[in-house]
Amino acid sequence: MSLLEAKHITKGYDGRTIIQDISIHLETGELISLLGLSGSGKTTLFQVLSGLTRPEEGEVFLDGREITGKPGAVSYMLQKDLLLPHKKVIDNVSLPLVLKGMKKKDAREVADRFFAEFGLDGYQDKYPDRMSGGMRQRAAFLRTYLSTMVQTDDVPGLDTAALAGADPGGAGRNPAAHGAALLDEPFSALDTITKGQLHTWYLEMMQRIRLSTIFITHDIDEAILLSDRIYLMTGRPGVIDHEIRILPPREQRKEFNLTQAFLAYKKQIIQILGTAESA
Amino acid sequence: MKERSGNITRKLPAAITLVLIAVLWELLCISGAVPAYMLPSPVAVVKAFIQDFPTLMFHAATTLQEAAWGLLTGILLAFVMATLMDRFMILERAWYPLMIITQTIPTIAIAPLLVLWMGFGMAPKITLVVITTFFPIAVGLLDGYRSVDQDAVSLMRAMGANRVQIFRHVKFPSALGHFFAGLKISASYAVVGAVISEWLGGFEGLGVYMTRVKKAYAFDKMFAVIFLIVIISLLLMALVNLLRDLAMPWTAGRDE
């Protein structure tokens, strides 16, 4: 069974269909990318997957449980980091725990354990505007990650005991949590160097904390470097007509972007997107 | 420390201008160009202020109480109205025009009516202060609620937040800046509003005292009252700034 699965999703606004009959799936531990031209409905698809909007047709399942139109089940990181300027970094990051009913003090304690791991140590009591773009993004990741730990929407009474034992190694992770995250262009606002650093860091983190990710990107290189699979979204209304599997395992992709194989993937993708555009 | 000295340098031009105006005024009075019964000299005003100080304080206490009760009620009313109007579209449609109309009613015109209806005590004064102060705060809050980043609201929903949580964690804090901007205006209105309503009837208060000294043509005393009202209003606005910095530590000392 897939961790996250969307079946035959159709969604439009004001009588105009934005995405049509889209089916995608995310396996545990996978990182997949949605790559497509602007306006192909990627963000709309994310809004459906996250439950923020209900599709006209189709269903979304998380671990076999239907979550169509139910927000709070899948973590969603929007394009902007959206750290709340009025909350200290630690309160921003621990917000998903507080929203699920954890006491502020306990939530802070849980979040605090991850600060070093996420390279944010020392910034707990600062306000977000004191951080660089890369740091803000890492803080947003940490918040997204902590919200995956409490993806227990239908489970009455959050198991705070299990959470309190949570540690950065993930060993004490709440067993009810699945760890599916949707990231909408998380790296797009960063400069090339910071972006590269964050790529490496994110892949490492994902494995350590056992997170499965779908992410939206416009950057073909980024998609090839990071993903297990790439869905190509084209057309208006947007459809997914190609799925590309990137064969070398993610761990062995150091300098992968300098190889022939990489270029072949890139060529294939550009060709598909280009033909779709001119059609 | 550095910020403080910077602050003083920034305020220096305004202080010098004020002193210059006072000196010019004094010279004008000494030269005899303006007769003393029409415009008292600054020195005479200060003398009157010191001489009258106990009386002034007695009346100021009443005015301040009216202003404070009126302002507090105004804040409460503004908060309840703005929050309900933000939550229920229909209430916004119903109330917004009404709110505007209350602001077009000339204060001087309804003050005597209020006195007629509510007597010569504090009630009509407080009512008038409420009418003048709730509007800037309510509008500020409404704008604040609307200025909220819709993506932040989406994010909150994606994290499973309910309406109350969204209000508490995102909407209200983002409206605070607008709220304090409105409150600053209202705080200065509050004292003036109380004084105006006292003109039209009452037993004590700066406005009552003002009409009394005016009838006696004691213009030096009259100016002393005006002087006091200005000081009180400035202090109230400073208090609002202080409260804002306390309530919004993330912006403290960043602007102005």
Side-chain angles (χ1 to χ4, degrees):
Chain A
M1 184 171 47
S2 301
L3 176 58
L4 183 68
E5 186 165 20
K7 288 180 184 163
H8 308 292
I9 303 290
T10 298
K11 172 74 190 170
Y13 291 105
D14 305 323
R16 217 177 53 123
T17 310
I18 308 286
I19 52 176
Q20 191 156 32
D21 195 25
I22 285 185
S23 300
I24 66 171
H25 62 101
L26 172 72
E27 305 303 320
T28 308
E30 247 189 341
L31 190 156
I32 63 177
S33 299
L34 280 177
L35 191 61
L37 304 167
S38 309
S40 57
K42 301 184 294 288
T43 300
T44 304
L45 178 59
F46 262 26
Q47 278 174 344
V48 171
L49 290 178
S50 66
L52 285 178
T53 53
R54 191 172 262 289
E56 272 104 52
E57 277 165 56
E59 291 120 29
V60 184
F61 297 91
L62 179 70
D63 236 7
R65 184 164 58 96
E66 201 196 331
I67 56 157
T68 322
K70 286 185 200 156
V74 179
S75 303
Y76 183 12
M77 183 166 144
L78 287 86
Q79 212 161 342
K80 294 177 264 181
D81 59 57
L82 289 173
L83 296 172
L84 302 173
H86 54 267
K87 284 187 189 290
K88 290 176 178 170
V89 175
I90 188 142
D91 293 324
N92 258 294
V93 159
S94 58
L95 189 56
L97 308 180
V98 173
L99 291 178
K100 292 285 163 84
M102 207 189 241
K103 282 207 191 78
K104 190 169 163 182
K105 193 173 147 275
D106 299 338
R108 277 181 165 186
E109 224 167 85
V110 172
D112 189 47
R113 282 181 220 143
F114 295 90
F115 265 69
E117 182 105 11
F118 278 71
L120 296 165
D121 214 11
Y123 280 84
Q124 282 89 335
D125 291 323
K126 299 266 193 298
Y127 287 103
D129 65 347
R130 294 291 150 103
M131 297 198 297
S132 66
M135 291 196 85
R136 292 177 65 104
Q137 214 60 18
R138 284 203 298 271
F141 276 132
L142 177 51
R143 180 182 55 196
T144 310
Y145 169 58
L146 288 176
S147 72
T148 67
M149 301 207 332
V150 285
Q151 285 169 358
T152 51
D153 213 36
D154 286 346
V155 181
L158 173 63
D159 187 2
T160 44
L163 269 179
D167 64 74
R173 183 182 191 134
N174 185 354
H178 305 288
L182 310 173
L183 312 181
D184 192 345
E185 294 195 57
F187 309 106
S188 63
L190 304 170
D191 62 85
T192 323
I193 303 290
T194 314
K195 202 182 206 179
Q197 287 167 348
L198 269 182
H199 284 164
T200 320
W201 172 82
Y202 187 73
L203 289 180
E204 251 180 59
M205 275 318 285
M206 248 191 73
Q207 288 202 320
R208 213 169 319 163
I209 62 186
R210 292 185 226 147
L211 196 63
S212 314
T213 312
I214 306 182
F215 87 103
I216 291 179
T217 180
H218 284 114
D219 184 336
I220 298 176
D221 290 27
E222 184 177 79
I224 302 172
L225 269 179
L226 300 183
S227 323
D228 295 301
R229 283 180 296 128
I230 301 174
Y231 287 111
L232 294 181
M233 257 180 108
T234 51
R236 277 162 216 258
V239 291
I240 288 182
D241 43 13
H242 288 84
E243 181 187 333
I244 296 170
R245 188 171 284 279
I246 309 293
L247 286 174
R250 254 188 280 129
E251 308 79 65
Q252 294 166 24
R253 291 194 200 157
K254 223 173 182 193
E255 303 193 338
F256 177 51
N257 53 348
L258 305 175
T259 62
Q260 280 297 324
F262 180 91
L263 284 178
Y265 282 124
K266 191 167 173 177
K267 208 169 158 189
Q268 186 188 0
I269 291 170
I270 290 174
Q271 216 160 31
I272 293 170
L273 292 180
T275 340
E277 179 70 340
S278 55
Chain B
M1 223 37 229
K2 213 174 189 179
E3 266 174 33
R4 182 155 297 175
S5 67
N7 210 3
I8 289 170
T9 338
R10 236 178 332 162
K11 283 179 180 161
L12 207 59
I16 292 173
T17 313
L18 268 178
V19 170
L20 278 180
I21 289 174
V23 168
L24 201 71
W25 178 4
E26 180 70 33
L27 287 177
L28 213 65
C29 293
I30 293 175
S31 70
V34 186
Y37 62 85
M38 281 183 76
L39 182 70
S41 78
V43 175
V45 173
V46 172
K47 269 188 197 156
F49 186 82
I50 295 168
Q51 227 170 38
D52 260 12
F53 193 72
T55 323
L56 283 175
M57 284 304 112
F58 167 76
H59 290 291
T62 307
T63 306
L64 264 181
Q65 271 184 62
E66 291 158 2
W69 283 117
L71 188 57
L72 285 178
T73 317
I75 293 173
L76 200 71
L77 183 70
F79 177 74
V80 172
M81 279 181 79
T83 309
L84 285 175
M85 282 163 78
D86 180 64
R87 171 67 183 82
F88 303 104
M89 182 72 122
I90 180 83
L91 287 185
E92 187 187 335
R93 289 208 191 112
W95 291 353
Y96 202 83
L98 212 70
M99 265 170 60
I100 304 275
I101 288 170
T102 63
Q103 296 313 295
T104 57
I105 299 172
T107 325
I108 307 259
I110 51 162
L113 281 177
L114 291 175
V115 172
L116 212 65
W117 295 333
M118 299 177 180
F120 287 95
M122 279 195 187
K125 284 99 180 174
I126 293 175
T127 309
L128 200 89
V129 174
V130 172
I131 293 174
T132 45
T133 57
F134 91 97
F135 184 73
I137 305 173
V139 170
L141 271 174
L142 265 179
D143 281 350
Y145 290 152
R146 276 189 210 138
S147 74
V148 130
D149 188 339
Q150 282 310 314
D151 287 337
V153 175
S154 293
L155 174 75
M156 291 292 287
R157 285 183 54 219
M159 293 195 291
N162 59 35
R163 223 186 260 277
V164 176
Q165 286 173 323
I166 291 175
F167 180 78
R168 200 183 123 203
H169 292 286
V170 178
K171 274 202 151 178
F172 184 64
S174 358
L176 266 183
H178 292 82
F179 166 76
F180 278 107
L183 182 60
K184 208 162 150 186
I185 299 171
S186 292
S188 60
Y189 282 5
V191 180
V192 176
V195 168
I196 290 178
S197 62
E198 284 166 355
W199 282 353
L200 297 148
F203 305 111
E204 48 198 53
L206 289 175
V208 175
Y209 184 66
M210 228 170 159
T211 44
R212 225 176 267 166
V213 294
K214 191 187 74 188
K215 278 179 191 150
Y217 291 97
F219 283 177
D220 51 346
K221 292 187 178 180
M222 177 111 171
F223 270 89
V225 181
I226 295 173
F227 186 47
L228 181 63
I229 291 171
V230 170
I231 293 176
I232 291 175
S233 295
L234 287 178
L235 284 177
L236 266 178
M237 283 161 85
L239 181 71
V240 171
N241 279 345
L242 184 76
L243 283 177
R244 186 198 57 195
D245 285 354
L246 285 176
M248 305 172 62
W250 60 96
T251 56
R254 302 254 171 96
D255 49 1
E256 285 185 89

